[in-house]
């Protein structure tokens, strides 16, 4: 039960951070979802960093790592919004923008994890 509470607290933190970034008044005219891209790439970086540092440092309690990885990162990042925005761009006639967004999200997300792991070494 303690782990469920910690994940819930982490989820609250991550979700509120995502919401606050969503309030930032930026967004290009073509509808490119720059905030979601930023959130997901930043979340991938954070997850990679937490995981890499946790594997090096056994001082941090596993419950804290669970809260950060599943709670904070899981609450912060948003695959469902990514999927919705990708389809919405296509429905609005922005196929090229959607394909760029999908490719950039996957490639930048993977590169962010890789960069975080290198940074943690």
């Amino acid at each position: 039960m303690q782990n469920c509470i910690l994940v819930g607290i982490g989820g609250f933190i991550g979700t509120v951070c995502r919401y606050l970034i969503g309030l930032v008044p930026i967004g290009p005219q073509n509808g490119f979802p720059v905030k979601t891209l930023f959130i997901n790439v930043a979340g991938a970086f954070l997850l990679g960093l937490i995981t890499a540092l946790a594997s090096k440092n056994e001082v941090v309690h596993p419950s804290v790592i669970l809260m950060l990885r599943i709670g904070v990162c899981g609450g912060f990042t948003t695959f469902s919004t990514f999927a919705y925005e990708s389809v919405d761009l296509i429905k609005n006639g922005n196929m090229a923008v959607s394909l760029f967004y999908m490719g950039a999200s996957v490639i930048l997300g993977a590169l962010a994890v890789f960069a975080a792991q290198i940074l943690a070494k």
Side-chain angles (χ1 to χ4, degrees):
M1 188 60 158
Q2 177 185 356
N3 284 344
C4 288
I5 292 169
L6 288 172
V7 168
I9 291 168
F12 173 80
I13 293 167
T15 302
V16 169
C17 290
R18 181 176 74 216
Y19 171 74
L20 292 174
I21 290 172
L23 295 178
V24 174
I26 59 169
Q29 296 295 350
N30 66 356
F32 187 84
V34 66
K35 291 183 273 190
T36 304
L37 179 63
F38 171 79
I39 286 166
N40 286 336
V41 172
F45 180 84
L46 183 60
L47 181 61
L49 189 62
I50 291 166
T51 302
L53 292 174
S55 70
K56 290 174 52 174
N57 183 356
E58 295 180 12
V59 175
V60 180
H61 196 277
S63 293
V64 174
I65 301 303
L66 183 71
M67 180 186 77
L68 294 172
R69 288 180 61 196
I70 295 176
V72 175
C73 292
F76 183 63
T77 59
T78 174
F79 183 79
S80 57
T81 301
F82 158 74
Y84 173 80
E85 290 170 342
S86 298
V87 170
D88 197 47
L89 284 166
I90 293 169
K91 287 168 77 174
N92 290 322
N94 294 315
M95 176 65 81
V97 174
S98 180
L99 291 173
F100 176 78
Y101 174 52
M102 288 186 276
S105 294
V106 172
I107 292 168
L108 292 175
L111 287 174
V113 171
F114 185 66
Q117 290 175 341
I118 290 172
L119 183 66
K121 284 187 177 184

